[in-house]
C-alpha cells in the first residue's frame, strides 16, 4: 500500500481558544502542546510520507516542535479569516506544490487538537483508506478530547 501525505490542521481556531491561545497550541503540564504531539506521531508513522501543517504563522513558528522531524514537512500560513474549507483546499494545493506531486493525490487530514493519537492508530487508519479516496479526515468529538484538556479548561 502507498504511503499517505498528511495534512495537520492547526488553523481556523475560531472555535477553540484557551486563554487566547488556540487550543492545539496550549501547553500541557508536561510542556508539550497537542499540535506538536500529533506532528510527532505523524513523523514516526510508517504510513506517512510527508507532512503539511496549516495554521496561524505565529503559532506554527513559535509553538510547533518540529525539531525531531524525519519526514519532509512544510508549514502553510492560513489566510486571514480562513474557513475550515479554505484551509482544506489551501493546504492540499500547497502539499501538491511543495512536494512536487503531479496529478491528483489523496491526503489524510488530521486535527491538531487531538493529542492522544498514536503512530499505530494513524497507520491503522491509513491502511483502511480505499485507494480511490480523495480526502480522508479523522475527526473526533469534543467530549473524547476534553479529558486531555481538563487541566487547562479550569
Amino acid at each position: 500500500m502507498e504511503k499517505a501525505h498528511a495534512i495537520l490542521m492547526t488553523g481556523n481556531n475560531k472555535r477553540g481558544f484557551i486563554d487566547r491561545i488556540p487550543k492545539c497550541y496550549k501547553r500541557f503540564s508536561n510542556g508539550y502542546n497537542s499540535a506538536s504531539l500529533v506532528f510527532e506521531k505523524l513523523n514516526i508513522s510508517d504510513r506517512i510520507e510527508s507532512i503539511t501543517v496549516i495554521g496561524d504563522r505565529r503559532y506554527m513558528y513559535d509553538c510547533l516542535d518540529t525539531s525531531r522531524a524525519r519526514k519532509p514537512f512544510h508549514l502553510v500560513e492560513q489566510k486571514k479569516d480562513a474557513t475550515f474549507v479554505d484551509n482544506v483546499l489551501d493546504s492540499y494545493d500547497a502539499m501538491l506544490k511543495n512536494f512536487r506531486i503531479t496529478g491528483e493525490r489523496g491526503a489524510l487530514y488530521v486535527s491538531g487538537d487531538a493529542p492522544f493519537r498514536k503512530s499505530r492508530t494513524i497507520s491503522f487508519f491509513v491502511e483502511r483508506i480505499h485507494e480511490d479516496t480523495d480526502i480522508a479526515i479523522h475527526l473526533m468529538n469534543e467530549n473524547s478530547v476534553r479529558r486531555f484538556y481538563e487541566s487547562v479548561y479550569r
Side-chain angles (χ1 to χ4, degrees), residues 54-105:
I54 188 161
D56 185 305
R57 176 182 176 82
R58 112 187 97 164
Y59 294 109
M60 283 190 304
Y61 286 92
D62 293 345
C63 304
L64 184 65
D65 182 1
T66 59
S67 63
R68 294 188 301 266
R70 297 183 301 219
K71 292 188 167 57
F73 72 93
H74 186 75
L75 305 178
V76 178
E77 183 177 354
Q78 73 178 20
K79 295 175 187 164
K80 184 178 176 169
D81 298 322
T83 65
F84 178 79
V85 173
D86 291 332
N87 283 350
V88 166
L89 298 174
D90 292 346
S91 60
Y92 184 80
D93 289 343
M95 178 196 77
L96 293 177
K97 177 184 171 198
N98 291 306
F99 296 113
R100 295 187 174 101
I101 300 168
T102 56
E104 292 186 4
R105 184 71 187 271

Side-chain angles (χ1 to χ4, degrees), residues 18-19 23 26-29 113 115-116 142-154:
I18 301 169
D19 300 328
K23 182 170 58 172
K26 180 71 177 175
R27 293 200 182 278
F28 296 111
S29 58
D113 61 0
F116 53 91
E142 184 178 350
N143 290 335
S144 65
V145 184
R146 186 173 273 288
R147 67 185 171 115
F148 292 95
Y149 289 97
E150 285 178 353
S151 63
V152 293
Y153 272 118
R154 294 176 196 189

